[in-house]
Amino acid sequence: MNKRHIYNSGIIGNCNYIAHVHKSTNINWLCWPTFEDSFVFGCLLDVDKGGEFNIRLDDKQINSNQYYLENTNILVTEVRGENDGFRVIDFAPRFIQYERYFKPLMLVRIVEPLYGNPAIKVNCNPKANYGKEDFQKARGSNHVQFAAGSENMRLTTDIPISHFFDADKNNFILTEKKYMILSYGSPFEAPLAHTAEDFLNRTKLYWRKWTKKANIPNFYQDHIIRSALVLKLHQYEDTGAIIASSTTSLPESPGSGRNWDYRFSWVRDSFYVLTALSNIGKFDELEEFSKFITGITQSDAGRLQPLYGILGRKVLTEQTLDYLEGYKGNKPVRIGNQAYEHIQNDVYGQAMIALLPLYTDFRFPQDERKEAKGWLKYILDKISMTIDEKDAGIWEFRNLANHHAYSNLFQWAGAAAALKIAKLNEYEDIAQQATELMEKAADYIEQCYDPERQVYRNSNEGENLDASTLQLILMNYLDPTSDRAKKHLEALEAELKGKNGLFYRYLHRDDFGKPQSTFLVCAFWYVEALACVGRLEEAQETFERLLEYGNGLKLFSEDIHDEDGSQWGNFPQAYSHVGLMNAAYRIATKLDKPIFLS
């Protein structure tokens, strides 16, 4: 792994936005005012047209490192030269104020000297309309005003304002802490240093309290905590929507053309995220998402889409921005995602299971539970309407349609969840409908079974195998102790397992050719499957090897190249962090040993 490609960035956020901070201190990705709007800093996709917000050291032999303040989403970048060094603390304010969450479109940067007399240059040059336009820069008494059409940002600082108009020629000596607060829309009008320090302390306390109140199993807790903090940032709190990633068009492998916009809310991904957070006792996120999905279903009498915009937008027209160079020259850059048009029939079951705790977990008081029967009827009718259809499947094949085992599995599981709720509430008609749908979904799944190879194919046509069928074991459709489950796992291993526990989604050709990289969440599914069938020692060993594929901040990408362990795909990827958390939870449950034993 000596030459592996990794994303040398961390993220900060407050459930209103996510910013990427590179080890160089540059804000190399930030979309404002929402996740799915244009970047204001986007050099991740184009060094020239993406703008910048960086702090450079005028010294030799520069190196840098990053770390989070423990159990927070506050990021520290230390830049060290031969004679001078400085530290940057970056965070997005988040805390409770006036009985609600304070989460402004505000990025706070605190810069302080580490040693020597660091001479630094600060450049802040945002871009508008995906790099097509510059913000016009105007000088204020203690701020820089940026304007582009109806968009306005303000950088309030105690660094000399003239520096921001001639930073390339002039540096200044950093002798004490300096503060920069970049705000969108509303100007920052408060004491600068005092407010920044106050916001820092209150944000630090918020994240540490959030972490402390999580039920983290005693198995690689540091990784679970970081993954949980990452997932929390991916929920857009205003609506409850959960995005797959904050980035677009980071390629699944170099030159592959598999560059997608993941800044939207997939029903499927949300199910996995909510499962991971529920496992550690975090239910607020589930309640928020229930409002999002309920709003969509009430306003849309048709079929559920695989994904929606974070404000519930249904049409996510895909476009390519040919004028942007792409990440390391990898085109195309895409915004929008054509998958919104796909038929993916697993979504109904996943929506049902995601919201199951609202109806069955007694920590939710009866008077807080949503009206169950109408929701059950809606989901079961949709499953009934679509169960005989072919679809694009979990991997969103653009020109292929089949009866996919994975889709039928979640129809089966969704009907099983509905049956559980129906029994609790004595809805006999619902229970009958759910039972019939479970049986029909199971019939379709069994059509995918290959008795000669003793494995479930990805669909009832062809011979292709697919890592998504690991879920047959994880969802308990197959009894994990049965020979059928063990043989199925062995057959998938023989074809799809890569190096060091990595796992391919599939190896057959699709619309873009044969995959070159492994999909990290599949490797964590594999770990779970190993634990389920009783191969617990292998599960632990494989899990530990997979941890090596994070960057120095324990952040994981979507894809990992099998040959050199490089990170590729959108980053950080909610799916991958979900996989880590669920695999750790599964192993910890199986271990079931006292906390004083190592």
Side-chain angles (χ1 to χ4, degrees):
M1 291 192 201
N2 292 333
K3 296 181 180 179
R4 60 186 290 244
H5 166 268
I6 61 172
Y7 294 112
N8 284 311
S9 301
I11 61 169
I12 60 171
N14 59 7
C15 304
N16 209 10
Y17 77 88
I18 291 175
H20 292 233
V21 186
H22 190 264
K23 280 179 71 173
S24 65
T25 76
N26 192 30
I27 307 296
N28 63 3
W29 188 254
L30 169 58
C31 297
W32 267 354
T34 76
F35 294 137
E36 59 188 49
D37 285 306
S38 169
F39 62 73
V40 293
F41 299 111
C43 73
L44 194 64
L45 295 183
D46 195 301
V47 174
D48 294 325
K49 298 183 180 70
E52 62 180 337
F53 189 1
N54 56 41
I55 307 159
R56 292 193 179 97
L57 179 64
D58 186 17
D59 201 347
K60 299 176 182 178
Q61 298 182 9
I62 294 172
N63 64 73
S64 63
N65 70 294
Q66 290 183 306
Y67 57 90
Y68 283 103
L69 296 187
E70 189 177 15
N71 295 349
T72 76
N73 279 311
I74 300 168
L75 186 63
V76 180
T77 306
E78 294 185 347
V79 178
R80 297 176 180 272
E82 189 174 36
N83 302 304
D84 313 282
F86 67 89
R87 174 190 295 123
V88 185
I89 299 173
D90 286 302
F91 69 98
R94 179 177 172 83
F95 46 84
I96 295 175
Q97 182 170 266
Y98 307 130
E99 300 181 351
R100 57 187 182 267
Y101 288 113
F102 179 71
K103 46 181 175 57
L105 292 175
M106 178 187 293
L107 189 156
V108 182
R109 313 199 79 178
I110 303 174
V111 191
E112 59 183 337
L114 282 174
Y115 58 92
N117 297 297
I120 67 172
K121 298 179 180 181
V122 183
N123 282 288
C124 184
N125 295 303
K127 298 287 185 176
N129 194 13
Y130 288 104
K132 284 184 178 179
E133 302 172 35
D134 292 320
F135 276 82
Q136 297 303 307
K137 192 159 49 169
R139 190 186 305 248
S141 58
N142 293 288
H143 68 266
V144 182
Q145 189 73 32
F146 300 97
S150 61
E151 292 189 275
N152 286 279
M153 296 193 299
R154 178 181 285 194
L155 178 65
T156 305
T157 183
D158 54 1
I159 294 172
I161 294 302
S162 58
H163 179 77
F164 293 91
F165 291 84
D166 205 10
D168 288 331
K169 294 181 181 178
N170 300 314
N171 54 37
F172 71 93
I173 305 301
L174 184 67
T175 59
E176 59 184 349
K177 274 189 182 182
K178 294 292 183 180
Y179 300 88
M180 290 177 279
I181 295 182
L182 183 67
S183 56
Y184 182 94
S186 301
F188 173 78
E189 295 176 332
L192 179 62
H194 172 79
T195 305
E197 294 288 350
D198 180 51
F199 283 7
L200 173 63
N201 289 328
R202 294 170 77 177
T203 300
K204 185 192 307 180
L205 289 173
Y206 167 80
W207 287 119
R208 288 182 172 169
K209 185 176 181 181
W210 187 88
T211 303
K212 193 179 292 184
K213 291 194 172 183
N215 181 26
I216 307 291
N218 188 34
F219 180 78
Y220 285 95
Q221 281 190 326
D222 55 342
H223 280 83
I224 298 173
I225 288 169
R226 178 51 50 203
S227 289
L229 288 165
V230 167
L231 293 184
K232 176 66 175 173
L233 293 187
H234 283 69
Q235 184 166 49
Y236 186 65
E237 198 165 68
D238 280 2
T239 63
I242 298 169
I243 57 171
S245 182
S246 56
T247 56
T248 178
S249 303
L250 301 184
E252 292 183 13
S253 59
S256 66
R258 300 171 189 262
N259 309 351
W260 313 116
D261 191 348
Y262 278 4
R263 298 172 298 158
F264 306 111
S265 184
W266 271 258
V267 177
R268 176 191 306 116
D269 295 41
S270 301
F271 154 70
Y272 287 112
V273 171
L274 294 170
T275 299
L277 292 175
S278 295
N279 283 342
I280 63 169
K282 293 296 182 182
F283 296 111
D284 289 350
E285 296 74 17
L286 172 61
E287 291 185 285
E288 292 301 319
F289 180 74
S290 74
K291 298 171 187 174
F292 176 70
I293 199 69
T294 300
I296 286 171
T297 57
Q298 287 180 349
S299 65
D300 188 357
R303 66 168 68 243
L304 273 182
Q305 295 178 188
L307 66 153
Y308 293 87
I310 58 174
L311 303 179
R313 185 162 57 101
K314 297 170 186 174
V315 178
L316 307 172
T317 305
E318 188 171 290
Q319 307 171 53
T320 59
L321 306 182
D322 295 330
Y323 60 90
L324 294 177
E325 66 179 14
Y327 180 76
K328 293 186 178 295
N330 282 273
K331 292 190 174 189
V333 172
R334 292 185 173 97
I335 57 172
N337 198 306
Q338 187 215 325
Y340 82 91
E341 298 176 325
H342 289 185
I343 295 173
Q344 295 177 30
N345 291 328
D346 55 312
V347 294
Y348 305 104
Q350 279 153 346
M352 184 74 260
I353 305 168
L355 301 188
L356 177 65
L358 293 179
Y359 303 105
T360 59
D361 192 314
F362 285 92
R363 284 171 289 189
F364 293 96
Q366 184 69 39
D367 60 359
E368 289 184 6
R369 299 182 195 182
K370 308 294 184 288
E371 200 281 313
K373 193 165 188 178
W375 173 250
L376 294 180
K377 184 67 175 167
Y378 173 87
I379 291 293
L380 292 179
D381 284 350
K382 295 299 183 185
I383 292 176
S384 180
M385 178 184 76
T386 59
I387 197 167
D388 294 318
E389 289 182 340
K390 295 182 178 183
D391 72 0
I394 178 178
W395 308 127
E396 300 179 338
F397 299 123
R398 296 200 165 198
N399 296 298
L400 301 169
N402 275 315
H403 288 289
H404 289 98
Y406 181 89
S407 297
N408 295 130
L409 171 65
F410 276 89
Q411 290 165 338
W412 174 85
L419 179 60
K420 180 174 182 177
I421 299 170
K423 287 180 176 178
L424 278 174
N425 292 278
E426 299 181 349
Y427 301 148
E428 292 184 10
D429 54 337
I430 296 289
Q432 178 63 32
Q433 185 181 13
T435 301
E436 291 172 359
L437 287 172
M438 284 182 69
E439 293 170 355
K440 191 167 188 178
D443 286 342
Y444 272 117
I445 295 170
E446 291 307 312
Q447 291 176 29
C448 300
Y449 186 66
D450 182 340
E452 287 188 20
R453 292 189 291 169
Q454 299 184 72
V455 67
Y456 285 82
R457 300 164 295 157
N458 76 329
S459 71
N460 63 358
E461 299 177 21
E463 302 298 321
N464 296 328
L465 302 187
D466 184 326
S468 68
T469 60
L470 288 167
Q471 293 285 334
L472 294 168
I473 301 170
L474 308 188
M475 302 294 292
N476 234 57
Y477 173 84
L478 295 177
D479 179 351
T481 64
S482 68
D483 284 341
R484 180 168 282 207
K486 293 173 182 177
K487 293 292 185 184
H488 176 61
L489 176 56
E490 289 167 8
L492 292 178
E493 280 179 301
E495 181 160 323
L496 300 177
K497 185 178 176 182
K499 297 178 180 178
N500 295 315
L502 293 172
F503 224 82
Y504 287 92
R505 285 179 285 184
Y506 49 83
L507 284 172
H508 55 275
R509 294 183 67 84
D510 61 14
D511 315 307
F512 290 83
K514 187 176 178 180
Q516 300 298 311
S517 292
T518 67
F519 203 56
L520 189 54
V521 73
C522 296
F524 285 119
W525 289 347
Y526 171 55
V527 168
E528 283 196 79
L530 287 172
C532 285
V533 302
R535 295 162 59 182
L536 191 56
E537 190 171 322
E538 288 179 73
Q540 292 181 75
E541 291 172 355
T542 304
F543 181 86
E544 289 166 2
R545 288 200 297 269
L546 294 179
L547 296 184
E548 299 173 9
Y549 296 111
N551 72 2
L553 294 167
K554 301 183 178 68
L555 302 183
F556 291 83
S557 62
E558 176 190 21
D559 300 275
I560 302 294
H561 199 282
D562 191 27
E563 291 300 319
D564 60 12
S566 289
Q567 292 186 323
W568 291 104
N570 284 302
F571 170 87
Q573 178 78 357
Y575 241 174
S576 299
H577 287 276
V578 162
L580 185 154
M581 289 179 67
N582 287 341
Y585 183 81
R586 183 87 67 170
I587 292 171
T589 302
K590 293 287 184 180
L591 287 173
D592 190 27
K593 66 182 182 183
I595 61 172
F596 56 81
L597 293 178
S598 61

